[in-house]
């Protein structure tokens, strides 16, 4: 939800650096963008509706300044217009601000500051006006502190003040990372934005502020005191965050599942055993996540039941409040997230912590808020995932949940061996012929407006997940169903030629799933079977390896590819679907 970027250092082409950084954050928001700096003692601002990837750095070549701020927006308050784009600035044009998050009391603050002074419909403009008001009576730093004290809600902000050669940033609930280069600093919503300059970072925690000039000073907003921070070296390469030879990040990330699963299961044995013990001894184990991560949790629920004979309670994080009253100190909340910044998940964690329950997180973004606020955190090591559609993170998270389930029944080594075999079979499966075949299947169904996916047992969550993938990138109305539920209603939707995808595994429920598929076929459905074995009911058969209980990990991959190719064949950009953003930091 919005990407912010600030630069201060020795280089004079700060605007070009900021634009390039924002282009790497485009996955966080892509409806409009803007930059600000100081030129000849005046505030310089450029804001535009459209994608930051369309901005040309050359246009800013002659605008020299050693600091600048910028923003790529995913609209919350106020429509997509040039004026509502960030940076927002004070009426006297001395203060400019970029903001990610939501200022909940902005209406109240607008009244206080005089509604006539506002030119945008955003909540963010109040931050600039408020700082400017305080700035008339105090230093830039104190004015930011005073303004922050009045803000309610979640935010990450970066602020500049004309005439002051430093930037100030602060956070509460939205991510902000400081990249520490050689005599230069980067303030960004995510690490890939500045990876080409530095791999050394400081994470800003909630209720902290940072003042950046030639040095960097962190301040705790509650105590007003300086805070010492550990410099962390990030083991990511800049190229890992680029598209490389692929047309889209989504395809690149699907292909990376050839080895990302292996990295996920390569965890410290003692740590996994410790976590398995914590789960076993917990009284009330809850799984929660959003979207795809939520479907991963559901798959985990099946793994825990089938492998570890352990009942867990899953709820999407946005629905988790219904479970709050069950939480107690002996409870354990397991949260799953790619970005580690999802607001609904953070709220579930807050609820758990308020009841002294423990939190285990399974995340991809190292050092993210969710990772740092958990009692235990496992990093899936999938590398940067930039496409809005989550793919490699999901399979890695499922692999790790399955590994933990095996550890709970003292079969960790065997679990690791099985999952390594799954990874190697996925490596074989993802060959060019396989991709060409799936593209041809996508070609057959791309013009249908409805598509249904069925699965049973551990493949039921994958039917739901396949539907999310197809919906979000191709805008086809896709829905996933438990195969056995069809006859209770959904089968009425099927008419001649409706594409229906059946996720079948070589498991105890195989015959049931095939029977349900036959029922669909009898109503005229065009059946795409994803299965290790061919069956006469399939009109198109996508062969996947036979991996037993791990079937969700392999069955989901062809559906990711189908979603990708349907989108591309419909002329859409799968990396930047409409209305969505990669990291959902608002509730
Ligand atoms: O970063 P998270 O894993 O917490 O994100 C959760 C969802 O927002 C995310 O999975 C979303 O549903 C994806 N767009 C699905 O592909």
């Amino acid at each position: 939800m919005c990407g912010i970027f600030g630069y201060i250092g020795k280089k004079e082409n700060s605007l070009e650096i900021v634009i390039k950084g924002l282009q790497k954050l485009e996955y966080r928001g892509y409806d409009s963008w803007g930059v600000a700096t100081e030129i000849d003692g005046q505030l310089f601002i450029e804001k535009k509706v459209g994608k930051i990837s369309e901005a040309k750095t050359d246009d800013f070549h002659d605008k020299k300044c050693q600091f600048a701020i910028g923003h790529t927006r995913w609209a919350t308050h106020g429509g997509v217009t040039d004026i509502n784009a960030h940076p927002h600035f004070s009426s006297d044009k001395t203060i400019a601000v970029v903001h990610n998050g939501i200022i909940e009391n902005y209406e109240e603050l607008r009244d206080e500051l005089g509604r006539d002074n506002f030119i945008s419909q955003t909540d963010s403009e109040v931050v600039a006006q408020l700082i400017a008001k305080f700035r008339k009576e105090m230093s830039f730093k104190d004015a930011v502190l005073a303004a922050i004290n009045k803000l309610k809600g979640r935010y990450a902000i970066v602020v500049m003040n004309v005439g002051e050669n430093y930037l100030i940033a602060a956070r509460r609930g939205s991510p902000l990372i400081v990249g520490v280069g050689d005599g230069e600093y980067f303030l960004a919503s995510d690490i890939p934005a500045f990876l080409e300059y530095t791999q050394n970072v400081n994470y800003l925690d909630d209720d902290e502020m940072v003042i950046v000039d030639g040095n960097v000073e962190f301040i705790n907003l509650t105590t007003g005191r300086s805070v010492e921070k550990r410099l962390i070296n990030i083991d990511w390469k800049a190229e890992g965050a680029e598209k490389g030879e692929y047309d889209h990040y989504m395809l690149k990330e699907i292909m990376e599942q050839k080895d990302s699963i292996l990295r996920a299961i390569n965890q410290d044995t003692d740590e996994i055993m410790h976590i398995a013990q914590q789960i076993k001894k917990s009284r009330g184990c809850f799984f929660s996540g959003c979207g795809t991560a939520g479907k991963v949790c559901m798959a985990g629920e099946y793994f825990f039941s089938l492998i570890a004979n352990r009942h867990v309670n899953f709820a999407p994080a946005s629905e988790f409040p219904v479970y709050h009253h069950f939480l107690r100190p002996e409870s354990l909340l397991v949260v799953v997230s790619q970005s580690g910044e999802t607001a609904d998940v953070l709220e579930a964690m807050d609820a758990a912590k308020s009841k002294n329950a423990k939190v285990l997180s399974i995340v991809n973004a190292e050092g993210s808020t969710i990772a740092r606020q958990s009692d235990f955190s496992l990093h899936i090591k999938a590398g940067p995932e930039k496409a809005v559609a989550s793919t490699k993170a999901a399979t890695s998270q499922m692999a790790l949940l399955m590994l933990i389930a095996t550890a709970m029944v003292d079969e960790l080594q065997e679990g690791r061996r099985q999952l390594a075999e799954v990874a190697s079979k996925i490596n074989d499966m993802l060959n060019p012929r396989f991709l060409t075949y799936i593209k041809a299947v996508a070609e057959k169904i791309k013009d249908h407006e409805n598509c249904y996916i069925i699965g049973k047992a551990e493949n039921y969550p994958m039917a739901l997940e396949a539907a999310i993938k197809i919906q979000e990138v191709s805008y086809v109305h896709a829905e996933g169903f438990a195969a056995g539920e069809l006859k209770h209603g959904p089968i009425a939707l099927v008419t001649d030629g409706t594409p229906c995808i059946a996720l079948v595994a070589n498991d105890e429920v195989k015959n049931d799933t095939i029977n349900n598929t036959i029922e669909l076929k009898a109503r005229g459905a065009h059946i795409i079977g994803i299965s290790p074995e061919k069956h006469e009911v399939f009109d198109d058969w996508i062969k996947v390896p036979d991996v037993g209980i791990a079937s969700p990990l392999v069955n989901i991959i062809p559906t990711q590819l189908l979603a990708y190719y349907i989108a591309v064949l419909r002329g859409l950009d799968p990396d930047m679907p409409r209305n969505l953003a990669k990291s959902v930091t608002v509730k």
Side-chain angles (χ1 to χ4, degrees):
M1 295 275 107
C2 305
I4 60 184
F5 194 94
Y7 169 81
I8 183 160
K10 296 179 281 196
K11 299 180 185 122
E12 290 208 309
N13 61 336
S14 58
L15 281 173
E16 291 170 274
I17 294 171
V18 167
I19 286 168
K20 277 210 228 155
L22 290 174
Q23 287 173 336
K24 300 203 167 86
L25 292 174
E26 187 168 37
Y27 64 93
R28 300 180 68 88
Y30 33 85
D31 56 41
S32 51
W33 60 273
V35 289
T37 189
E38 182 181 325
I39 307 280
D40 300 332
Q42 307 279 314
L43 181 66
F44 168 85
I45 295 231
E46 176 93 2
K47 317 206 266 187
K48 274 200 167 68
V49 166
K51 293 181 176 167
I52 181 69
S53 50
E54 286 154 15
K56 294 195 176 52
T57 48
D58 284 357
D59 294 351
F60 299 91
H61 193 62
D62 58 343
K63 305 265 181 303
K64 302 287 182 212
C65 187
Q66 290 177 313
F67 64 87
I69 61 175
H71 187 274
T72 180
R73 182 170 187 240
W74 184 86
T76 55
H77 292 59
V80 180
T81 62
D82 288 354
I83 286 180
N84 286 340
H86 298 222
H88 289 285
F89 52 91
S90 55
S91 305
D92 63 4
K93 295 203 171 158
T94 57
I95 300 289
V97 173
V98 286
H99 165 229
N100 175 18
I102 289 183
I103 307 298
E104 285 162 9
N105 57 337
Y106 79 103
E107 292 283 10
E108 197 183 307
L109 291 170
R110 273 184 176 227
D111 287 340
E112 200 178 308
L113 292 159
R115 290 193 161 261
D116 292 347
N117 293 322
F118 286 81
I119 56 170
S120 79
Q121 286 105 42
T122 65
D123 54 330
S124 312
E125 193 182 348
V126 295
V127 185
Q129 301 284 20
L130 202 55
I131 296 172
K133 181 189 144 200
F134 287 118
R135 180 70 180 96
K136 293 196 172 90
E137 296 149 22
M138 53 189 87
S139 69
F140 178 29
K141 172 186 162 189
D142 289 342
V144 175
L145 277 170
I148 281 173
N149 272 333
K150 291 187 75 97
L151 302 180
K152 293 198 179 123
R154 290 174 178 272
Y155 55 79
I157 53 170
V158 184
V159 196
M160 58 169 278
N161 182 179
V162 172
E164 302 286 1
N165 291 333
Y166 60 100
L167 297 177
I168 298 184
R171 73 162 275 176
R172 177 179 296 153
S174 295
L176 197 60
I177 299 137
V178 183
V180 181
D182 181 13
E184 56 186 1
Y185 296 91
F186 308 85
L187 298 156
S189 307
D190 203 355
I191 294 165
F194 53 72
L195 261 187
E196 68 177 284
Y197 306 102
T198 181
Q199 286 173 262
N200 294 326
V201 306
N202 283 132
Y203 290 103
L204 202 62
D205 282 306
D206 275 351
D207 295 311
E208 282 181 357
M209 176 168 121
V210 60
I211 302 174
V212 201
D213 47 18
N215 291 304
V216 63
E217 184 192 0
F218 294 91
I219 295 167
N220 179 307
L221 290 170
T222 320
T223 63
R225 295 207 192 99
S226 289
V227 183
E228 283 301 313
K229 289 265 172 192
R230 199 163 56 91
L231 198 62
I232 295 169
N233 185 268
I234 296 296
D235 184 23
W236 282 1
K237 299 272 169 296
E239 317 79 79
E242 299 301 330
K243 271 192 294 217
E245 70 200 78
Y246 293 97
D247 290 341
H248 298 99
Y249 284 110
M250 185 176 174
L251 183 58
K252 173 188 178 237
E253 289 158 9
I254 292 172
M255 296 305 283
E256 283 175 354
Q257 292 170 112
K258 284 177 168 197
D259 47 33
S260 52
I261 292 170
L262 269 186
R263 289 199 299 273
I265 58 171
N266 182 17
Q267 303 277 339
D268 181 70
T269 299
D270 292 342
E271 199 176 355
I272 294 286
M273 288 310 294
H274 176 67
I275 282 166
Q277 288 311 321
Q278 295 296 319
I279 295 172
K280 276 165 85 172
K281 82 170 197 217
S282 68
R283 308 264 306 270
C285 181
F286 300 86
F287 279 11
S288 199
C290 295
T292 292
K295 304 302 171 278
V296 166
C297 289
M298 271 183 87
E301 196 180 9
Y302 281 88
F303 288 149
F304 272 49
S305 170
L306 297 168
I307 300 172
N309 194 25
R310 169 75 201 223
H311 172 71
V312 298
N313 308 277
F314 161 70
S318 57
E319 292 294 319
F320 193 68
V322 294
Y323 283 121
H324 285 183
H325 62 285
F326 291 127
L327 292 164
R328 44 187 53 86
E330 316 78 67
S331 313
L332 177 73
L333 171 64
V334 179
V335 293
V336 175
S337 174
Q338 188 288 128
S339 63
E341 301 293 347
T342 304
D344 288 319
V345 176
L346 283 163
E347 188 189 59
M349 291 171 66
D350 286 347
K353 282 189 277 176
S354 72
K355 301 282 184 74
N356 293 319
K358 293 269 184 287
V359 178
L360 160 67
S361 62
I362 296 183
V363 292
N364 189 31
E366 206 179 348
S368 57
T369 311
I370 291 175
R372 282 176 302 131
Q373 292 187 358
S374 310
D375 297 286
F376 320 96
S377 186
L378 290 172
H379 179 218
I380 59 167
K381 307 174 200 165
E385 190 184 73
K386 291 183 112 182
V388 165
S390 186
T391 54
K392 62 176 177 172
T395 44
S396 291
Q397 289 157 343
M398 284 195 285
L400 201 39
L401 282 170
M402 185 172 150
L403 193 72
I404 296 171
T406 60
M408 287 169 67
V409 285
D410 294 327
E411 286 176 10
L412 176 60
Q413 290 319 323
E414 175 56 15
R416 216 194 289 269
R417 190 199 60 73
Q418 277 176 13
L419 283 160
E421 205 174 301
V422 172
S424 132
K425 288 181 174 170
I426 287 174
N427 184 24
D428 293 345
M429 177 176 84
L430 281 172
N431 60 56
R433 217 157 44 113
F434 187 72
L435 267 59
T436 308
Y437 180 69
I438 295 205
K439 189 172 180 188
V441 177
E443 180 72 57
K444 287 188 197 172
I445 61 175
K446 72 172 200 309
D447 295 324
H448 285 265
E449 285 311 315
N450 301 299
C451 171
Y452 304 113
I453 307 105
I454 61 164
K456 194 170 169 67
E458 69 281 5
N459 278 294
Y460 165 44
M462 294 304 97
L464 303 180
E465 166 53 12
I468 299 189
K469 267 323 65 95
I470 297 172
Q471 289 157 4
E472 70 181 332
V473 300
S474 72
Y475 316 152
V476 167
H477 169 230
E479 273 197 69
F481 298 109
E485 283 294 298
L486 289 175
K487 53 190 174 294
H488 300 289
I491 203 158
L493 296 166
V494 175
T495 55
D496 243 9
T498 308
C500 292
I501 303 172
L503 305 178
V504 188
N506 252 343
D507 56 13
E508 285 170 14
V509 298
K510 175 180 167 185
N511 290 343
D512 288 344
T513 315
I514 291 286
N515 286 339
N516 297 138
T517 310
I518 293 169
E519 288 157 15
L520 284 171
K521 175 92 166 194
R523 272 82 188 170
H526 174 97
I527 305 290
I528 297 153
I530 296 181
S531 163
E533 281 163 16
K534 196 170 182 170
H535 192 282
E536 60 191 11
V537 72
F538 301 152
D539 294 294
D540 289 296
W541 173 43
I542 299 176
K543 185 176 187 324
V544 287
D546 186 355
V547 293
I549 180 80
S551 64
L553 276 82
V554 298
N555 281 355
I556 199 60
I557 293 175
T559 71
Q560 297 168 343
L561 283 165
L562 275 173
Y564 171 77
Y565 284 122
I566 295 172
V568 171
L569 292 167
R570 285 166 75 102
L572 301 168
D573 178 353
D575 284 346
M576 280 181 267
R578 68 184 177 209
N579 306 339
L580 292 170
K582 179 69 178 161
S583 172
V584 187
T585 54
V586 292
K587 282 195 13 94

